[in-house]
Amino acid sequence: RCVLPRLWPMSSQEQAVQILVGGSFLSALVVVQESPVVVIATHPWGPLGGSMHDPHPQTACRVMAQAGCSTARFNFRSGLGRGGGSIEDVKAVAAWFLEPRDGRAPLSSQVLIVGYSYGSMIGAAAASEIPSAIGYVIVGPPYSWALYMFNAGNIRAKAAFEKPKLLMVGTQDQFCSMSSFRTFFDSLPEPKKEVVCEGKDHFSMFGLLNRTLADWVT
């Protein structure tokens, strides 16, 4: 279970921003609210059509903004390679909220990452490199597929994060067998929670995010 500090709900619309990463920029949609927590939602693999407009990051941001958190969803700059560039993207979005600017206090002081598919593995790895991260959520990890496509061993090691973790998978997930999910989940340290969604496939988890996130955060 992930315990959030007291929030101050307020109405706000998403705003489009450009966030500097190295010598380039990434596109993001952010909600800035009077909350210490920013929720960063990450999307599935871009080369297969994934983007911040996927319903999973959209739903995560909507639910958590309604809870009073600041939120951010963004497009990875590439998604190619061994995942290092995408981890840097997550860290840059976190820094946009965590670092002071123009003599003003930071927008947020704590980060919660909600990742889906490719973005779930990247988000979990990035959390270990963000000192202000208070937890992460993995939705539909493409674990069986990632073993062959990416630097999965290194990413899995970074995901061994000793703060609250929520992992969700469908029993019909096309990219993560239940045995692979079990191996991954068992390798992670406490605190952790699993939610196994009977009959759900990789692409239909977003319908369960509202209640699952609400049950997990307090």
Side-chain angles (χ1 to χ4, degrees), residues 3-131:
V3 179
L4 301 183
R6 181 185 174 189
L7 306 178
W8 296 266
M10 55 188 294
S11 176
S12 184
Q13 299 293 319
E14 286 185 315
Q15 304 174 58
V17 299
Q18 296 288 306
I19 295 176
L20 181 66
V21 190
S24 61
F25 290 86
L26 60 78
S27 298
L29 291 172
V30 304
V31 170
V32 178
Q33 305 203 82
E34 193 178 353
S35 167
V37 178
V38 57
V39 176
I40 300 174
T42 56
H43 67 74
W45 201 40
L48 290 180
S51 79
M52 64 177 166
H53 302 295
D54 179 272
H56 295 83
Q58 279 188 323
T59 301
C61 286
R62 174 178 54 79
V63 169
M64 299 309 291
Q66 289 173 349
C69 296
S70 294
T71 65
R73 53 190 173 108
F74 66 95
N75 286 328
F76 289 118
R77 289 171 298 159
S78 171
L80 300 176
R82 298 172 66 82
S86 294
I87 292 172
E88 291 304 312
D89 290 348
V90 179
K91 291 166 63 177
V93 175
W96 192 87
F97 283 88
L98 296 171
E99 294 178 357
R101 71 189 75 169
D102 302 324
R104 299 181 179 181
L107 297 172
S108 303
S109 58
Q110 298 175 320
V111 176
L112 175 64
I113 299 174
V114 181
Y116 166 60
S117 192
Y118 167 81
S120 72
M121 304 296 289
I122 296 300
S128 69
E129 299 185 15
I130 300 173

